[in-house]
């Protein structure tokens, strides 16, 4: 049974940082890429960035470049999303999901975590 558990979200002031974690189980970790998505209120889920099984990183949100980084711990089956210089427009529910190959299309992902809320506000 595939399980993904996101953590590390919360309320942060503009300019602050958060580190999200995605702990995964129930699939062969080494074979899969992991994507991070976010969904702002009233908007569709959008791809933020993705890390392949070979640690190649693809950014889907231009706004994330230079501020967000992604890494994976293949011992703990966990992916981390480090978010710096946060802006109010980064507010949303963040989700992680495994995939065969990185894609910005949510339809390419079959399993999702429950999501974690990130609120950037003063």
């Amino acid at each position: 049974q595939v399980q993904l558990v996101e953590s590390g979200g919360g309320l942060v002031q503009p300019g602050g940082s958060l580190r999200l974690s995605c702990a995964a189980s129930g699939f062969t970790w080494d074979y899969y890429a992991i994507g991070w998505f976010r969904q702002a209120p009233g908007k569709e889920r959008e791809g933020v960035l993705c890390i392949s099984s070979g640690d190649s990183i693809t950014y889907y949100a231009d706004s994330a470049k230079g501020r967000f980084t992604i890494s994976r711990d293949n011992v703990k089956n966990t992916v981390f999303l480090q978010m710096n210089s946060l802006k109010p427009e980064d507010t949303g529910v963040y989700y992680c999901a495994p995939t065969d190959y990185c894609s910005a299309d949510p339809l390419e992902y079959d399993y999702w975590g429950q999501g974690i809320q990130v609120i950037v506000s003063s």
Side-chain angles (χ1 to χ4, degrees):
Q1 181 180 359
V2 175
Q3 288 189 325
L4 301 133
V5 179
E6 299 95 340
S7 62
L11 172 64
V12 62
Q13 292 186 342
S17 298
L18 282 175
R19 189 191 195 206
L20 305 185
S21 299
C22 169
S25 62
F27 59 96
T28 307
W29 172 262
D30 291 348
Y31 295 165
Y32 287 87
I34 303 293
W36 278 101
F37 289 75
R38 66 185 175 194
Q39 189 163 15
K43 295 188 177 181
E44 294 185 351
R45 193 170 299 186
E46 66 166 350
V48 179
L49 72 172
C50 180
I51 185 166
S52 73
S53 58
D55 291 343
S56 176
I57 297 171
T58 304
Y59 285 86
Y60 298 119
D62 288 339
S63 63
K65 295 178 182 177
R67 300 188 300 124
F68 293 7
T69 59
I70 187 172
S71 60
R72 60 192 292 162
D73 183 331
N74 292 331
V75 174
K76 296 182 179 179
N77 287 11
T78 301
V79 169
F80 303 100
L81 177 61
Q82 178 67 44
M83 304 188 294
N84 300 324
S85 302
L86 283 162
K87 304 175 181 180
E89 50 264 43
D90 295 317
T91 294
V93 179
Y94 283 70
Y95 300 88
C96 63
T99 182
D100 292 334
Y101 300 101
C102 282
S103 171
D105 185 356
L107 296 178
E108 296 293 327
Y109 297 75
D110 293 326
Y111 299 97
W112 297 88
Q114 81 287 352
I116 190 76
Q117 180 74 55
V118 171
I119 300 173
V120 184
S121 176
S122 54

